Each structure stands twice: as structure tokens, then as C-alpha cells.
Amino acid sequence: MKISRSSRSRRAAAAVALGSVLALTATACGDDGSAGGTGAEGDGKGKIVFWDNNGGVRTDVWKEIIADFEKANPDIDVEYVGIASTEYQSKVDTAIQGGGLPDVGGVGAAMLAGFSAQNALEPLDERLDKSALKGMLNKDMVESMKAAGGGDGTLYSIPTSANNGVLYYRTDLFEKAGLDEPNTWEKFYEAAEKLTDAKKNRFGYTIRGGAGSIAQALDAMYGQSGITSFWNGDKTTVNDPKNVAALQKYAGLFKKNTPAADLNNDFTKMVAQWDSGTIGMLNHNLGSYQDHVKALGTEKFRGIPQPVGSAGKRVQVSNPVDGLGLFKSSKNKDAAWKFIEFALSHEENSKFNESAGQVPANTEAASDAWVSKAEPTKLAATALTDGSTTIVQLPYYLPDWNTISKADNEPNFQKVLLGSMTAKEFLDGLAEQLNEAQAEWKQQNG
């Protein structure tokens, strides 16, 4: 089942019409229509509002950072609002159109282009250039944010961390079954089969079928096919025959070597299910490492980079860099920027990433002792720098990317799992949308 070009065009036209009406209304009220106006610098004091884009999961550590900030800046109060990652984009989009944006919010690479295309974010290049943070942030993460911003080379979000994909596996279950570490795709599938005993509710793998499923499926596809670029000229490679075959094999694990409940599992349910103890392997990112430590200790599992393919090369899709953005409508930008600077300081960025198990953006924080002690974080950082891994860069710069890779196609991936849509039909439909979005982007940025 595809979303046709005409239906996407109608949807785009409707969005433009709505935006025009809202813009005219805003202008009539003395607003310039740019996501609540251009805001103001303020006096560097008073109250600011912070929206956490991973509320619940990261609430405790953000509250610690806020407490530290308010102690160091007694004239500034920070109101924390935690929003679930699955709801964050829609809440921000609604606020962009209707008002009520925060001063500061989590803005990861995957949603960056969509927000910047709506003129909602403050450019941060000059602020960073004048900041004590200049030269203290991972250059690759900064460049990833610039590339994801929509094509104009502007920095709209300050990176906080890299959240690389990881294959977690139960070392105790593997040892008991006489299995090798699943560091190749062949060993991965062998383990998924051998560790499954459905009658005893034991499974070799848990697959992500709910929210966030597309990125994980792409990672498995490109990892197996060995294709190293998302584009071949102006056409996407997602529906290359090698990727079709890879997705077909991967989706074939569902209900055979995975629980049936995986069909609707987002990452929180999937992680909780794996931590309960009867599933052999889990694909997630570094963000769930501490959850596994709490549930299993450090002796019963390992987190390793994605398996290597038949050619002996590891291929992974790019995991979005997370960051903090300053919304253009803020009436207290000076205080909001102080909060961003503080959160990215050595001590605070280290505190955040140690809690999350992710790779810090602050280069001094990345050298702290805990990084070497947190094995998955250390291995992920090494895999990204030692030449062993090729990264397929996802097109975060496309304003439609987040919609295409989530709302438009997550239901169709569930159909693939259920067998009511073939892998080829699914990927052909995804490719049509991506090729159209790429053509529109090139026309606008030509």
C-alpha cells in the first residue's frame, strides 16, 4: 500500500493553506508569523521553560542539571516539562502553529529540518562562536547537526550526545546454549533460532514493531546488504533488491523467533521485555544501557556494535545526534542560551551522558573515566573512529523525513511483519516518498 504522489501533494497543499491562515492571523496580532515572532534577548534573568524530548526516561538527570544551573544562576528559574519521545514532534509542531513554544527544547537531528523549515529555531552559530564552548564540542556531531538543519549550513541545535545503535545480548543464555558472540549476521540468525523455545515463552530476539520501528529496520537492512549509501544519484537505495531480501529475512523473525507482542512494542516496552530475562538479543541504542545494568547487573549481558556482514565490513545507518535548540519565539533568549551553555559544560554533559550511557558531545566529558568503564559506550565510540564501520547517512535534512519514517510508514511495516504486505511493496512505497521529497528539496535548495 503506497501513499500516492497526489495524496502527498494534497496534504502538502492543505498544510501550506493552514500555515498561511495562521500566519495572516499572527500578523494581524502584531506578530511576524515566524513561529511566534522573533522573540527578545531579555535581561538574562527570570523564568525560562525547557521541554525535554525524552521525558520520563531522562527526567531525573535533567532535574539534577536544572538544580545545578539554578544554584549557579540564582536569578534564573527553569520550568521543566517532560514529553515522551513518541509525542514530542507533534507537540512542538502544534505549538509552532498555535503558540506556546518553550524557550529551550530537545532538538535531535531527525526532527531538526522540520522545525527549522518552519522558522521556529534560532540560528546558533554566532552564539557558539562567542561562547566558552567554542572548540569544546565534537566536530563530527556539530557537522551532523549542521547537515541535518535543512541544507543552509546553519547550526540550529547544539549537540549533547551521540546515541549509537547497539546489539545487546544475554551472555549467560549464549554460554548455556554454546553460542558464539553474535558479531556477524550469520551468528545473529543462528542465535535467534537456537535460543527460541516458544512453548516455554523463550525467544532469541525482540523486534521493534511499534513506534520507532523504521530506523531499526533500516539498520538491519543496510547492515546485511552492505550497501553504503542512502542515495544512488537522485534515487534512494532503500528498495535495492539486496535491501529487499535483507528486510524480508529480518521481518521473518517475527512470531517465529520473537514474541507476538513485538508488533506494537515501542522502545520502552521492548527494553522492559528484554530486561525481564527470557529473550536472547535486543537491538536498541546506548540510551537503554543503564536500564539493563539495573535489571541484569553487568555480568549477564554485553552491548556490542552491530554485526558485520558477509564481506567482513560493518555497515550501520546514522543514529541521530541529540541536542538542545533555542526557539526563536523566546522572550528570554539570553537566559535560555546560558542554560544551553551550562548543560553542555564538561561536568553537566558528562553527568547527562553517564546517566544515559551515550557518547558526550563535550570533548572533555568524552575523556572521563566512566566512558571506558561503560563497555557499550566505549565500543560504540571506538567503532565510529577506528575505520571498522561505514555509516549510511540518513536524510535528516529532508523536512518530511520524520513524517515519512514514522507516521507514514510504521503502520505499513507492521503489515510486513503480519505478512499482509511484502517487503518489496513496503520498500517501493517508501522509496517513492523519499525520491519525491528529495526532488522537492533539491528544487528548493538548488
Side-chain angles (χ1 to χ4, degrees):
M1 179 180 178
K2 301 178 182 178
I3 295 179
S4 68
R5 180 179 295 270
S6 59
S7 67
R8 281 181 57 78
S9 297
R10 285 195 298 272
R11 185 179 67 192
V16 170
L18 174 63
S20 299
V21 171
L22 290 168
L24 288 171
T25 303
T27 303
C29 297
D31 196 322
D32 70 356
S34 60
T38 55
E41 286 297 312
D43 60 2
K45 302 177 181 179
K47 176 184 173 182
I48 59 173
V49 178
F50 166 57
W51 282 8
D52 176 8
N53 60 339
N54 202 358
V57 179
R58 301 284 171 253
T59 296
D60 289 346
V61 68
W62 273 121
K63 287 190 173 181
E64 285 185 34
I65 292 169
I66 289 169
D68 292 345
F69 175 75
E70 290 179 337
K71 184 176 180 180
N73 297 271
D75 293 331
I76 304 174
D77 294 319
V78 182
E79 178 184 334
Y80 170 87
V81 180
I83 302 169
S85 61
T86 53
E87 301 172 4
Y88 189 78
Q89 183 187 3
S90 62
K91 188 170 180 66
V92 173
D93 283 337
T94 299
I96 289 173
Q97 298 298 342
L101 283 167
D103 300 279
V104 181
V107 182
M111 62 185 73
L112 184 54
F115 295 164
S116 64
Q118 298 176 79
N119 200 28
L121 295 168
E122 181 84 0
L124 299 176
D125 298 88
E126 288 188 15
R127 293 178 193 269
L128 180 60
D129 195 50
K130 297 175 183 177
S131 169
L133 291 176
K134 182 180 180 181
M136 300 303 296
L137 300 178
N138 182 288
K139 292 180 181 179
D140 290 338
M141 294 189 202
V142 172
E143 288 306 312
S144 291
M145 283 300 199
K146 286 186 176 183
D152 62 359
T154 300
L155 183 66
Y156 291 106
S157 182
I158 302 296
T160 55
S161 54
N163 199 6
N164 209 45
V166 177
L167 177 61
Y168 294 103
Y169 74 98
R170 289 288 302 272
T171 51
D172 54 344
L173 299 182
F174 270 69
E175 184 177 347
K176 186 176 179 180
L179 289 164
D180 293 334
E181 180 176 272
N183 53 17
T184 69
W185 283 101
E186 183 179 1
K187 291 177 180 178
F188 166 83
Y189 281 107
E190 178 189 358
E193 178 69 29
K194 192 166 184 179
L195 292 174
T196 296
D197 187 343
K199 292 180 180 178
K200 295 183 179 180
N201 199 36
R202 295 174 184 168
F203 297 94
Y205 185 60
T206 174
I207 198 169
R208 189 167 183 169
S213 60
I214 304 302
Q216 182 172 304
L218 292 175
D219 212 12
M221 277 169 40
Y222 282 91
Q224 293 174 81
S225 72
I227 295 170
T228 57
S229 176
F230 197 79
W231 300 103
N232 183 7
D234 291 331
K235 302 298 181 184
T236 181
T237 58
V238 294
N239 60 337
D240 183 283
K242 291 181 180 178
N243 275 335
V244 172
L247 183 62
Q248 186 173 337
K249 185 173 184 179
Y250 180 71
L253 294 170
F254 177 65
K255 285 180 68 174
K256 178 173 176 278
N257 301 125
T258 80
D262 282 358
L263 181 69
N264 296 302
N265 278 357
D266 59 13
F267 84 91
T268 54
K269 294 174 184 175
M270 187 175 62
V271 166
Q273 183 173 262
W274 190 72
D275 286 345
S276 69
T278 59
I279 298 173
M281 295 179 291
L282 161 75
N283 270 118
H284 192 231
N285 53 47
L286 292 167
S288 60
Y289 172 65
Q290 293 296 342
D291 294 321
H292 308 320
V293 172
K294 290 176 185 177
L296 302 168
T298 58
E299 302 301 319
K300 293 183 178 180
F301 81 96
R302 287 193 76 198
I304 61 174
Q306 284 283 62
V308 299
S310 57
K313 185 73 175 177
R314 180 183 299 108
V315 177
Q316 290 187 231
V317 300
S318 52
N319 279 278
V321 175
D322 206 4
L324 294 174
L326 173 58
F327 286 96
K328 187 173 288 188
S329 58
S330 171
K331 301 298 191 292
N332 204 354
K333 293 178 185 175
D334 187 30
W337 175 249
K338 286 180 182 177
F339 177 69
I340 293 175
E341 284 185 303
F342 186 85
L344 266 296
S345 65
H346 176 181
E347 182 178 349
E348 302 302 322
N349 190 236
S350 185
K351 178 182 295 186
F352 175 82
N353 283 288
E354 183 174 11
S355 172
Q358 298 171 178
V359 181
N362 184 296
T363 53
E364 290 182 340
S367 299
D368 285 350
W370 69 264
V371 176
S372 295
K373 294 177 183 177
E375 186 187 37
T377 305
K378 179 183 178 181
L379 292 176
T382 300
L384 292 175
T385 57
D386 68 358
S388 66
T389 304
T390 300
I391 300 295
V392 176
Q393 295 295 339
L394 297 179
Y396 297 129
Y397 58 85
L398 295 177
D400 279 349
W401 167 253
N402 231 28
T403 301
I404 290 172
S405 64
K406 291 184 181 295
D408 282 359
N409 283 288
E410 285 175 352
N412 284 342
F413 181 65
Q414 290 179 320
K415 293 179 181 179
V416 176
L417 295 179
L418 292 169
S420 60
M421 175 181 280
T422 68
K424 186 177 188 306
E425 289 170 337
F426 168 70
L427 292 176
D428 282 346
L430 177 60
E432 182 180 351
Q433 292 173 264
L434 288 165
N435 291 337
E436 180 182 348
Q438 175 78 345
E440 290 174 356
W441 181 83
K442 281 203 163 186
Q443 185 178 20
Q444 292 168 4
N445 295 274

